């Protein structure tokens, strides 16, 4: 149900974007997180404007009109200038670093035209919810752009199938392969097959040295975006720095650095300090082992020990933890003086957002429904010989009660 | 017949069962009082009705499963699939509610799944003679896997308000989950203390061979404790999902060790045959108060883990010092950890 | 007691039992009398335990029949024997070590309350305690009686006394004691044997298996000797140590019969 509606929305979106020609252009890269301008589908729609004029920017080679520009973040939230850019080198059958690149990368899906490019997508499986959505988005994007995309199922957790798939892909001989194999130990064998066959390969989900990486979510940026959203709400309610305490629901099981989902906590903390001037004494990191009810108990204890707090801004490392936090806030009678955000747009946030919950205000969508659009756009760039950053992430979108796709409710 | 006639002297003092357990309970009660006194001095927020209700709500779900794990351990078995059963039954309830089935049907479905888990565990332990520790580690993996399959790894936001209202909020000023826990404790405590079934569970755990020779059916008792374990774990899963407002496939994950720790701290022996529901209640409350205290004073998580571990080790060490050995008894049967009985 | 001393209450006729190629018991007849202590002696593997287990319902014979009070009975489980008032006291593992005397005395035969409470399986702890203490007092057994001390905390002799007291409590017809003193010291042994005598005097047919011949000679009214699965002698008088040893090991087999 959910995936069907998502795919439906993505399809409609793609078609609408493809159909409508012009409109106002706006910078989608940095400001998307601000709640006033945000909006899940709206964000992705922001660059919708693009259109024909941009096509001239695309190097000649047969690709047609721009269908969709996708908000993109790169290099684990370091800015483009600091990112490594690579370009496919046909002679060495490898990606090589290049300094000759634009300041800014944006994945742009274009019509296949008469390019004749053929792409391969090898998803982990066709069973997991996120991948059902992602695989469908490849079909949708291929249909919208006319690109020739073939899907090869890695049938996770099979240890053999990814190697079989690599053989099949080599026989198929596409111009670019987007390889999503999550069994890291198999990647050396798979990637050397592609190198031998001189097929440029993008690693998806699990990075592999020497290959460009197209990731799923980008935690650090997500944490920053949620902080910006909640600060805007707080300011709208007239809260001031002095009367706000920030509660972060994290878990000690995560590595406490930028490589894990904990990066969202780092990002959130940075923004509330920088933009809302909250001091470290008023930022409290609680242990939430993600059982919702245990998370609730821990937050409830903290609330008991801090009866004098006025307003609370809460953020959970994922939606489950945020729900536990919100349950505790409600049961302690603080629902009206608290706001909270989560991550993942899973059922724990879809429910409250659809119900217009007074406390659980926002979550972040990792847009697997647009992975196909991103993937094909990146593949088109590689096939065209354009430079791309060595790490690319779809820009996740902040979702709230207004912007949530009502069809998912 | 010898001695069937009334004896004029008569028993002068009542014989109490399980004096060792009473000593443990007294120790636990003292520990709870001691921690409470210290905490009252340390934190102004500890000694307040609201805080005690926090503790009660926090331990309610663990309490339900700890209650049923007590006869399980006393019978000389252990069920490590309780947490996975919580997750699976919760997902079952969620899936049925999403289909817009009535709330009682969803709860019934969850409880049936729990009984099914108990059934499977009992078959493996009784029919195939697999050690319960190993058997239930296996079924825990299976149940957890199935819980993930129910909704392709996604959780289910509970749409039925009447279901959520069973676990959220308070009645008579007391968090609702606490009521279910109290009922379960009273029920299981009654069975263990006052009924023939309870006496047989103790006997089977104390010496399966002696129980068998006395005409007690060891398989029947084993069946009973596993079915009960599945049923009440599923009930805990229902309470968990209604309190959370969401069914999630890893619901309850990691709680099995916390639960067994509470039962053992409460004086129930892994070697079987000994333990009491009173002790388990005190064990659950003690662990809950420690977690609450550390939260109130803001000590980081690692200290919670350390204190819980110390408490468990201390409790088991007391058992060892009082001359008990673990080899070959209770859940260690069939693990070749010591001398086999029989 | 109404049972007349010397009346045959338990009878085995032509009992045989084989385990694969090994013949454990070969066509043995035995009569056990009320009020007597019948000792069963023989070397290891002579068939003593097999015989006693058949009479206690723990082993089903390949051939032969068992009669209790003159009637032919089929004993499929120990419970069948217990229902006929036949109790067996084992060397060990008969008691639940974590439970107290009362619970052990009524293990598997708990007294339930009257009325609805009983239907729900509620124990009548008070009645069980009263009966247990009466029994302990009647036998004069030296065991802690005033608190719920678990069996495991008692000495070996006290534990065996509890087992004997339980057997005596339930035994209406016969009580079999399989090496009851094997794990006990001298004083404890003599206390247990004294109990056996006391129980026999109450009219119960007591069967004693023991390797300790002085005990046998001191206590038994009748001695049955088994060798290689066959009954080789039954003695009621002139029981001397030499004679018994000879019969058991079979050195001078011609004299035996």
């Amino acid at each position: 149900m959910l995936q069907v509606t998502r795919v439906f929305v993505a399809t409609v979106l793609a078609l609408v974007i493809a159909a409508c020609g012009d409109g106002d252009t706006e910078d989608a890269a940095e400001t998307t997180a601000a709640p006033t301008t945000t909006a899940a589908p709206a964000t992705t729609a922001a660059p919708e404007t693009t259109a024909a004029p941009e096509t001239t920017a695309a190097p000649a080679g047969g690709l047609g009109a721009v269908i969709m520009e996708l908000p993109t973040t790169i290099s684990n939230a370091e800015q483009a200038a600091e990112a490594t850019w690579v370009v496919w080198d046909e002679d060495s059958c490898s990606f090589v670093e290049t300094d000759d690149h634009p300041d800014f990368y944006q994945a742009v899906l274009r019509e296949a035209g008469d390019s004749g490019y053929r792409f391969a997508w090898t998803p982990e499986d066709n069973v997991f919810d996120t991948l059902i959505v992602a695989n469908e988005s490849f079909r949708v994007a291929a249909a919208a752009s006319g690109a020739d995309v073939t899907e090869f199922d890695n049938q996770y957790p099979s240890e053999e199938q990814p190697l079989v798939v690599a053989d099949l892909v080599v026989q198929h001989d596409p111009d670019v392969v987007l390889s999503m194999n999550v069994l890291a130990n198999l990647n050396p064998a798979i990637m050397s097959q592609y190198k031998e066959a001189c097929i440029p390969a993008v690693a998806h989900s699990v990075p592999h040295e020497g290959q460009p990486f197209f990731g799923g979510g980008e935690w650090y940026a997500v944490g920053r975006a949620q902080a910006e959203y909640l600060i805007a709400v707080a300011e709208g309610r007239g809260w001031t720095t002095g009367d706000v305490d920030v509660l972060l629901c994290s878990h000690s099981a995560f590595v406490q650095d930028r490589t894990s989902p904990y990066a969202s906590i780092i990002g959130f903390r940075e923004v509330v300090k920088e933009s809302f001037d909250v001091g470290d004494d008023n930022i409290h990191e609680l242990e939430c082992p993600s059982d919702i009810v245990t998370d609730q108990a821990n937050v409830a204890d903290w609330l008991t020990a801090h009866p004098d707090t006025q307003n609370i801004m809460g953020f959970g490392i994922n939606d489950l933890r945020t729900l536990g936090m919100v349950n505790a806030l409600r049961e302690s009678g603080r629902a009206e003086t608290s706001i909270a955000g989560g991550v993942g747009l899973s059922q724990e946030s879809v429910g409250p957002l659809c119900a217009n919950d007074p406390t659980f205000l926002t979550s972040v969508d990792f847009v697997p429904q647009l992975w196909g659009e991103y993937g094909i756009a990146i593949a088109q760039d590689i096939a065209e010989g354009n430079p791309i950053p060595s790490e690319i992430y779809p820009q996740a979108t902040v979702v709230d009660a207004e912007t949530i796709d009502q069809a998912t409710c | 017949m010898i001695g069937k006639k009334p004896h004029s002297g008569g028993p002068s003092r009542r014989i109490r069962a399980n004096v060792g357990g009473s000593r443990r309970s007294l120790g636990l009660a003292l520990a709870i009082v001691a921690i409470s006194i210290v905490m009252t001095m340390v934190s102004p927020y500890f000694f307040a009705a609201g805080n005690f209700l926090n503790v009660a709500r926090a331990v309610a779900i663990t309490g339900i499963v700890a209650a049923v794990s007590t006869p399980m351990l006393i019978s000389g078995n252990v069920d490590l699939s309780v947490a996975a059963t919580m997750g699976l039954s919760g997902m079952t309830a969620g899936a049925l509610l999403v289909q817009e089935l009535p709330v009682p049907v969803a709860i019934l479905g969850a409880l049936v799944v729990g009984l099914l888990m108990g059934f499977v565990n009992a078959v493996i332990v009784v029919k195939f003679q697999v050690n319960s520790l190993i058997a239930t580690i296996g079924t825990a993996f299976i149940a957890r896997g199935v819980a993930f399959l129910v909704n392709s790894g996604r959780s289910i936001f509970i749409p039925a308000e009447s279901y959520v209202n069973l676990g959220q909020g308070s009645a008579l000023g007391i968090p609702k989950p606490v009521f279910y826990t109290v009922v379960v404790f009273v029920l299981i405590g009654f069975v263990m203390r006052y009924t023939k079934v309870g006496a047989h569970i103790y006997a089977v755990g104390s010496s399966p061979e002696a129980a068998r020779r006395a005409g007690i059916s060891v398989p029947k008792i084993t069946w009973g404790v596993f079915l009960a374990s599945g049923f009440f774990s599923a009930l805990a899963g229902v309470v968990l999902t209604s309190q959370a407002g969401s069914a999630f496939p890893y619901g309850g994950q990691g709680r099995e060790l916390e639960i067994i720790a509470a039962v053992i701290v409460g004086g129930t022996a892994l070697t079987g045959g000994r333990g009491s529901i009173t002790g388990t209640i005190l064990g659950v409350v003690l662990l809950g108060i420690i977690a609450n205290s550390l939260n109130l004073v803001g000590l980081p998580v690692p200290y919670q883990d350390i204190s819980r571990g110390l408490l468990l080790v201390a409790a088991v060490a007391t058992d060892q010092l009082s001359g008990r050995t673990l080899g070959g008894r209770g859940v260690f049967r069939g693990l070749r950890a010591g001398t086999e009985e029989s | 007691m109404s049972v007349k001393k010397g009346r045959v209450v338990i009878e085995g006729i032509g009992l045989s039992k084989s385990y694969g190629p090994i013949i454990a018991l070969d066509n043995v007849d035995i009569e056990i009398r009320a009020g007597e202590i019948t000792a069963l002696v023989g070397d290891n593997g002579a068939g003593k335990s097999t015989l006693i287990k058949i009479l206690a319902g723990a082993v089903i014979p390949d051939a032969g029949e068992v009669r209790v009070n003159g009637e032919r009975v089929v004993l499929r489980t120990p419970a069948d024997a217990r229902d006929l008032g036949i109790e067996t006291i084992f060397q060990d593992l008969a008691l639940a070590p974590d439970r107290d005397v009362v619970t052990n005395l009524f293990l598997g035969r708990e007294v339930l309350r009257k009325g609805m409470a009983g239907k729900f399986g509620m124990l009548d702890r008070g009645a069980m305690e009263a009966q247990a203490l009466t029994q302990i007092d009647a036998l004069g057994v030296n065991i802690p009686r005033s608190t719920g001390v678990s069996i495991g905390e008692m000495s070996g002799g006290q534990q065996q006394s509890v087992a004997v007291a339980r057997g005596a409590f339930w035994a209406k017809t016969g009580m079999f004691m399989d090496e009851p003193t094997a794990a006990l010291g001298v004083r404890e042994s003599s206390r247990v044997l004294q109990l056996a005598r006391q129980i026999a005097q109450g009219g119960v047919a007591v069967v004693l298996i023991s390797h300790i011949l002085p005990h046998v000679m001191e206590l038994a009214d009748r001695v049955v000797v088994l060798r290689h699965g066959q009954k080789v002698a039954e003695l009621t008088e002139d029981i001397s140590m030499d004679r018994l040893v000879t019969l058991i090991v079979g050195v001078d087999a011609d004299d035996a019969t």
Side-chain angles (χ1 to χ4, degrees):
Chain A
M1 297 10 63
L2 183 62
Q3 56 265 41
V4 172
T5 48
R6 275 191 186 171
V7 169
F8 176 74
V9 170
T11 316
V12 170
L13 206 66
L15 293 177
V16 167
I17 292 164
C20 76
D22 53 3
D24 43 22
T25 324
E26 79 181 41
D27 183 2
E30 281 296 345
T31 58
T32 40
T36 40
T37 52
T38 337
T43 333
T44 50
E48 74 194 55
T49 61
T50 37
E54 292 279 343
T55 42
T56 52
L63 287 178
V66 167
I67 291 176
M68 192 175 193
E69 284 188 349
L70 299 136
T72 312
T73 50
I74 60 177
S75 272
N76 212 9
E78 300 303 335
Q79 292 310 302
E82 295 166 45
T84 307
W85 289 64
V86 295
V87 67
W88 176 250
D89 176 35
E90 195 72 41
D91 298 334
S92 64
C93 290
S94 62
F95 287 93
V96 293
E97 283 191 28
T98 176
D99 290 329
D100 179 19
H101 61 81
D103 292 338
F104 176 77
Y105 179 76
Q106 181 154 28
V108 180
L109 179 64
R110 285 146 285 179
E111 279 179 2
D114 56 359
S115 64
Y117 295 141
R118 299 196 305 159
F119 304 128
W121 158 241
T122 71
E124 176 185 351
D125 63 38
N126 218 335
V127 181
F128 184 50
D129 182 55
T130 304
L131 288 172
I132 293 172
V133 174
N135 294 342
E136 187 59 24
S137 89
F138 268 90
R139 284 168 219 140
V140 168
S145 64
D148 177 349
V149 182
T150 310
E151 180 185 311
F152 298 88
D153 189 342
N154 272 330
Q155 292 176 14
Y156 177 84
S158 166
E159 296 262 350
E160 294 87 33
Q161 185 66 13
L163 301 171
V164 173
V165 161
D167 283 340
L168 291 172
V169 169
V170 167
Q171 277 180 30
H172 183 68
D173 195 25
D175 293 283
V176 179
V177 56
L178 296 147
S179 171
M180 181 183 187
N181 163 55
V182 295
L183 303 172
N185 57 322
L186 299 182
N187 265 338
I190 293 169
M191 291 303 180
S192 69
Q193 280 241 55
Y194 293 148
K195 187 176 167 65
E196 211 167 289
C198 207
I199 301 169
V202 177
H204 187 283
S205 288
V206 174
H208 188 74
E209 207 182 335
Q211 314 299 139
F213 178 61
F214 171 38
E218 217 273 275
W219 308 108
Y220 175 78
V222 162
R224 294 187 66 93
Q226 284 295 69
E228 282 165 19
Y229 181 100
L230 292 177
I231 287 169
V233 173
E235 286 170 346
R237 294 192 182 182
W239 295 4
T240 56
T241 300
D243 59 30
V244 171
D245 279 274
V246 173
L247 287 193
L248 301 172
C249 226
S250 172
H251 189 199
S252 50
F254 290 114
V255 183
Q256 313 255 307
D257 63 21
R258 293 272 290 268
T259 63
S260 83
Y262 187 81
S264 65
I265 296 285
I266 296 173
F268 194 97
R269 185 187 277 270
E270 279 179 14
V271 172
V272 292
K273 285 167 82 170
E274 289 161 10
S275 308
F276 205 53
D277 210 21
V278 181
D280 277 325
D281 288 349
N282 293 94
I283 303 176
H284 316 274
E285 209 170 309
L286 306 184
E287 175 73 358
C288 297
S290 166
D291 181 301
I292 301 187
V293 167
T294 311
D295 306 347
Q296 176 183 342
N298 290 351
V299 174
D301 285 344
W302 187 90
L303 292 171
T304 302
H306 298 80
D308 299 329
T309 52
Q310 296 177 44
N311 301 312
I312 289 166
M313 185 188 291
F315 175 65
I317 205 162
N318 65 15
D319 286 339
L320 278 110
R321 292 168 168 98
T322 306
L323 183 62
M325 180 189 276
V326 168
N327 284 346
L329 291 165
R330 186 178 54 247
E331 300 251 352
S332 68
R334 305 207 200 199
E336 305 301 324
T337 54
S338 310
I339 54 177
V343 175
L345 198 63
S346 53
Q347 292 298 300
E348 282 77 14
S349 61
V350 170
L353 295 189
C354 288
N356 219 347
D357 189 276
T359 312
F360 200 152
L361 301 183
T362 173
S363 185
V364 174
D365 186 359
F366 285 122
V367 293
Q369 70 274 23
L370 288 175
W371 283 6
E373 284 79 353
Y374 275 99
I376 295 173
I378 293 165
Q380 286 175 332
D381 274 327
I382 294 170
E384 293 284 290
N386 296 341
I388 58 166
S390 60
E391 286 180 44
I392 302 172
Y393 300 92
Q395 179 147 350
T397 47
V398 175
V399 180
D400 63 13
E402 280 178 31
T403 56
I404 190 164
D405 177 3
Q406 287 300 317
T408 63
C409 290
Chain B
M1 286 308 311
I2 297 174
K4 275 290 175 75
K5 62 185 184 300
H7 186 70
S8 54
S12 49
R13 285 163 64 182
R14 278 187 64 82
I15 298 180
R16 285 174 301 127
N18 211 356
V19 163
S22 303
R23 270 200 301 271
R24 168 64 70 84
S25 295
L26 187 66
L28 288 173
L30 287 175
I32 290 170
V33 170
I35 291 175
S36 300
I37 290 170
V38 171
M39 276 307 294
T40 306
M41 293 190 290
V42 170
S43 168
Y45 311 110
F46 178 79
F47 202 81
N51 189 52
F52 292 136
L53 295 179
N54 276 353
V55 175
R57 188 194 285 110
V59 302
I61 291 165
T62 298
I64 291 173
V65 187
V68 76
S69 294
T70 307
M72 176 63 71
L73 258 61
I74 289 173
S75 80
N77 295 287
V78 68
D79 184 355
L80 286 177
S81 70
V82 287
T85 302
M86 285 167 73
L88 178 57
S89 60
M91 285 302 288
T92 307
L96 294 174
L97 289 169
V98 165
Q99 301 298 318
E100 297 187 351
L101 287 165
V103 169
V105 174
I107 294 174
L108 198 68
L111 297 179
V112 167
V113 164
L115 284 173
L116 200 68
M117 279 296 294
F119 178 86
V120 171
N121 283 331
V123 166
I124 298 171
V125 172
V126 176
K127 296 286 173 205
F128 296 101
Q129 299 281 305
V130 177
N131 173 282
S132 61
L133 187 78
I134 309 295
T136 56
I137 288 175
T139 54
F141 277 117
I142 296 168
R144 191 61 77 187
V146 176
F148 271 85
L149 288 179
V150 170
N151 197 29
S152 322
R154 281 182 307 162
S155 44
I156 299 170
F157 189 77
I158 307 281
E161 210 164 290
S162 57
Y163 183 86
V164 172
N165 279 338
L166 293 173
Q168 292 187 352
S170 299
L172 308 170
I174 293 167
K176 288 177 194 166
V178 177
F179 288 99
Y180 312 126
T181 311
V182 168
V183 168
V184 172
F185 267 120
V186 168
L187 183 72
I188 295 177
F190 175 83
V191 168
M192 292 308 287
R193 199 182 175 94
Y194 295 111
T195 72
K196 189 170 151 180
V197 172
H200 288 186
I201 291 172
Y202 277 107
V204 165
S206 188
S207 169
E209 184 56 23
R212 197 183 61 75
R213 288 180 182 175
I216 296 168
S217 167
V218 177
K220 263 189 199 164
I221 292 295
T222 312
W223 270 97
V225 291
F226 275 104
L227 287 175
S229 183
F231 180 85
F232 286 108
S233 300
L235 180 70
V238 168
V239 178
L240 175 77
T241 47
S242 68
Q243 190 184 342
S246 172
F248 41 109
Y250 42 96
Q253 195 161 49
R255 279 185 185 241
E256 57 274 63
L257 294 183
E258 196 182 317
I259 287 160
I260 287 168
V263 176
I264 291 173
V265 165
T268 296
L270 269 176
T271 45
R274 282 188 314 159
S276 73
I277 285 291
T278 318
T280 296
I281 294 173
L282 292 168
V284 167
V285 169
L286 180 59
L287 287 178
I289 281 193
I290 288 174
N292 169 261
S293 299
L294 297 175
N295 278 341
L296 287 185
V297 299
L299 267 185
V301 194
Y303 294 98
Q304 294 201 21
D305 290 340
I306 290 169
S307 63
R308 207 175 281 171
L310 285 175
L311 188 67
L312 182 64
V313 170
V316 178
T318 325
D319 280 352
Q320 293 296 89
L321 288 177
S322 65
R324 306 286 306 215
T325 51
L326 296 179
R329 284 201 51 184
V331 303
F332 305 100
R333 274 201 310 271
L335 284 180
R336 301 192 186 281
T339 336
E340 276 292 300
E341 291 181 43
S342 85
Chain C
M1 291 293 162
S2 58
V3 187
K4 199 185 159 211
K5 185 173 173 179
R7 189 170 72 85
V8 174
V9 287
I10 302 169
E11 243 177 309
I13 301 163
L15 296 173
S16 295
K17 178 74 187 176
S18 300
Y19 296 98
I22 298 161
I23 298 163
L25 209 59
D26 183 10
N27 196 24
V28 170
D29 295 337
I30 188 166
E31 292 180 341
I32 299 162
R33 291 167 171 76
E36 278 190 10
I37 294 182
T38 304
L40 217 49
V41 299
D43 212 346
N44 286 334
K48 310 182 300 277
S49 284
T50 304
L51 176 57
I52 220 169
K53 279 177 179 163
I54 288 171
L55 298 177
V59 166
I60 297 169
D62 299 333
E65 63 177 76
V66 178
R67 291 184 187 172
V68 174
N69 291 323
E71 278 180 47
R72 186 178 174 177
V73 294
V74 179
L75 306 173
R76 299 203 172 279
T77 66
D80 293 342
R82 273 199 300 270
D83 289 344
L84 293 165
I86 298 169
E87 291 289 314
T88 308
I89 289 151
F90 301 93
Q91 196 172 323
D92 58 2
L93 291 175
L95 302 169
D98 304 286
R99 310 299 286 157
D100 65 8
V101 173
V102 179
T103 314
N104 269 291
L105 216 59
F106 288 88
L107 201 64
R109 285 180 284 211
E110 292 80 1
V111 177
L112 297 183
R113 293 196 187 190
K114 300 202 165 44
M116 277 306 281
K119 289 219 164 47
F120 283 107
M122 264 189 88
L123 299 172
D124 192 342
R125 177 87 187 164
M128 288 193 285
E129 282 176 12
Q131 290 182 33
L133 292 183
T134 307
Q135 170 74 352
I136 290 164
D137 289 344
L139 288 178
V141 184
N142 175 30
I143 48 178
R145 58 182 292 276
S146 53
T147 58
V149 180
S150 64
I151 295 285
E153 294 170 55
M154 298 180 184
S155 73
Q158 287 174 328
Q159 292 189 22
Q160 197 59 310
S161 296
V162 173
V164 174
R166 180 173 70 180
F169 186 82
W170 297 101
K172 297 182 198 68
T173 313
M175 188 166 88
F176 302 156
M177 304 170 86
D178 190 353
E179 300 283 0
T181 59
L184 303 182
V186 177
R187 271 185 57 195
E188 290 177 323
S189 297
S190 81
R191 183 71 205 116
V192 167
L193 295 171
Q194 204 182 317
L195 276 176
R197 167 56 63 201
Q198 217 173 315
I199 291 158
Q201 281 166 356
V204 175
V206 175
V207 177
L208 173 71
I209 291 184
S210 182
H211 273 108
I212 306 167
L213 297 180
H215 288 168
V216 170
M217 295 191 305
E218 178 195 330
L219 211 61
D221 300 307
R222 183 182 302 270
V223 178
V224 173
V225 185
L226 294 179
R227 193 168 67 230
H228 301 317
Q230 291 175 321
K231 186 164 103 177
V232 293
E234 181 167 340
L235 314 169
T236 52
E237 48 197 21
D238 297 337
I239 309 171
S240 74
M241 181 75 97
D242 286 346
R243 180 125 191 256
L244 277 181
V245 171
T246 308
L247 285 167
I248 290 168
V249 298
V251 174
D252 203 353
D254 294 341
D255 282 3
T257 37

